[in-house]
Amino acid sequence: MAPLDLAFWHLESPTHPLHLGALAHFGPVPTAPDHPDHEPPPDVLELLARRAAAVPRLRMRVRDVLIPVGGAAWSADPDFDVRRHVREIALPGADFPAETTGLAAELMERPVERGLPPWEMYLFTGAPDGSFAVLVKLHHALADGMRAVAIGAGIFDEIAAGRRPARRPRPVPPRSWLPGPGRLLDLARDRLGDLGRAVEVSASVVGASVVRAGRLDGRPAAALAAESSGTRRLATATLPLDRVHRIRRATGGTANDVLLAVAAGALRRWFDGRGLPLPGTDLRALVPVSRRRPGAAPGPGNSLSGYLLDLPVTEPDPAARLAAVRHAMDRNKAAGPSKGAGAVALLADQLPPLAHRFGAPFAAGAARLLFDLLVTQVPLPRSALSLGGAPLRALFPMAPLARGQSLAVAMSPYGGRVHIGLVADGEAVPDLDALAAAFTAELDLLDPPDTP
């Protein structure tokens, strides 16, 4: 098990589950014409279970190992039963979307069962028009955002149809467990390189944390950092992607810069709507960055770092907020993902397994010292997707909450819209719907809607 995967595995606690999530909404399954040559509509639950069982990664569970000490490994579950992971829940049809979001929030509160492969899927049915929704939960040790998309995509018609059957692995010739002199030299060189990188990243993390500690005035913690209640609240928002790109073309930068500026404005509006004073310093967001090469296969486990971004909530002008975000992200990219406290994931990748096993309680509380909230973008396939012929209408990603924090924001462009999933502590942020609505209002400030 890779060090960063192991870190996520040990950082979890009963009140701080560390699974990623996604809530996907589908239209109704097309009905077949009354003709003997047409097959009947598929059983969506059976189809979902069959396709999930065909993804090799979803058959793997975590087991402890003797060497390295404190380590763990992925191994195939000999008693794997997909019915333990895929379930159907019928909901009242009167207000299906709201019922779906509320139940998904309750299900996101619960950690996945550790003795089994760490994932779950729920099929929500009961909408009057035959539409349905699917909630996916994947433990962060199993995958980061990009890998989660690759795993979850296996349930869609377009990806499942092109999946190749698994090849039988080639036999590996036996070799001695004792490495030769050349291999020992390579191992020593690698460990020295790892140590050097760990020292460099540690210096960046500590330096950025000390600077931040000197700037904190306590007010951000009052709004977004709280002792966890163990509850979760979900809210969603959608933004037209063409308007995001129109702003990008007019101002420069990237679409992600625009979305980060919209998030900053939404938070400022939310503070004002709550009657809270603005924090004395801007809120700091952790913006995850994938370390995978563009176009490369996702690969197993986690491969990420992160940038730190001061969301300019204290800036009253929307255009100035966007300019500040763009300049800050340009500086982050110029410095690279190994600088600053956002590189803590790289540091975790350099630590031995025993450090993760015994250091998790201390590391879990460090998040609030490094950043105030997580804001991430999860890319989705650009092509239209479906399940059993039912078109995918929307997919809202969900990020886990770090200990001592109350809000995480995840965004995914799909089908001409940006789907935003907000996850919050249910007691600390009871008005999450107001924050979700603020995203649309803030986009309107940067790109006023057309008037008749």
Side-chain angles (χ1 to χ4, degrees), residues 182-198:
R183 178 57 179 156
L184 283 173
L185 184 61
D186 290 340
L187 288 172
R189 188 181 297 115
D190 290 345
R191 291 310 301 161
L192 286 174
D194 290 345
L195 180 60
R197 284 189 293 272

Side-chain angles (χ1 to χ4, degrees), residues 9 57-58 79 88 123 139 147-148 182 194 219 234 246 259 339 368 383 386 439:
W9 188 248
R57 185 73 171 165
L58 296 183
D79 302 315
E88 180 176 3
L123 171 64
H139 197 285
R147 180 59 181 165
D194 290 345
R219 281 186 284 176
L234 305 181
R246 188 160 61 198
L259 293 173
K339 302 296 183 181
R368 70 168 67 189
S383 58
S386 60
F439 276 80

Side-chain angles (χ1 to χ4, degrees), residues 113-283:
E113 188 172 342
R114 289 204 155 213
L116 303 174
W119 64 275
E120 299 169 358
M121 290 186 189
Y122 294 89
L123 171 64
F124 300 141
T125 58
D129 64 351
S131 60
F132 60 92
V134 175
L135 173 67
V136 180
K137 294 168 55 178
L138 297 173
H139 197 285
H140 213 328
L142 186 68
D144 55 24
M146 290 190 67
R147 180 59 181 165
V149 169
I151 291 173
I155 72 172
F156 294 115
D157 299 338
E158 294 74 16
I159 286 80
R163 183 188 290 135
R164 298 178 180 177
R167 296 181 179 179
R168 179 176 298 177
R170 296 179 180 178
V172 179
R175 63 182 181 180
S176 171
W177 61 271
L178 184 64
R183 178 57 179 156
L184 283 173
L185 184 61
D186 290 340
L187 288 172
R189 188 181 297 115
D190 290 345
R191 291 310 301 161
L192 286 174
D194 290 345
L195 180 60
R197 284 189 293 272
V199 170
E200 180 182 1
V201 174
S202 298
S204 296
V205 171
V206 172
S209 302
V210 169
V211 170
R212 172 172 164 75
R215 297 169 52 202
L216 289 179
D217 67 352
R219 281 186 284 176
L224 292 178
E227 293 302 322
S228 174
S229 67
T231 62
R232 292 293 179 269
R233 188 176 295 273
L234 305 181
T236 62
T238 57
L239 303 177
L241 186 57
D242 61 339
R243 294 178 63 193
V244 173
H245 283 298
R246 188 160 61 198
I247 298 168
R248 174 190 60 80
R249 289 191 295 269
T251 61
T254 67
N256 195 44
D257 295 341
V258 176
L259 293 173
L260 288 168
V262 169
L267 284 163
R268 178 185 172 88
R269 183 179 293 263
W270 176 71
F271 268 92
D272 184 63
R274 267 190 158 197
L276 295 173
L278 288 173
T281 57
D282 288 327
L283 299 177

Side-chain angles (χ1 to χ4, degrees), residues 1-2 4-6 8 57 74 139-148 151 292 298-304:
M1 199 172 185
L4 187 52
D5 301 348
L6 190 64
F8 285 126
R57 185 73 171 165
W74 292 104
H139 197 285
H140 213 328
L142 186 68
D144 55 24
M146 290 190 67
R147 180 59 181 165
I151 291 173
R292 305 182 195 278
N302 289 265
S303 181
L304 53 81

Side-chain angles (χ1 to χ4, degrees), residues 329-381:
M329 288 301 289
D330 286 345
R331 289 195 301 269
N332 274 329
K333 293 169 188 174
S338 62
K339 302 296 183 181
V344 67
L346 294 179
L347 178 61
D349 241 349
Q350 309 298 328
L351 297 177
L354 205 59
H356 290 302
R357 183 176 291 270
F358 292 106
F362 303 99
R368 70 168 67 189
L369 299 177
L370 302 178
F371 56 95
D372 297 304
L373 74 160
L374 177 77
V375 183
T376 184
Q377 185 176 155
V378 182
L380 296 178

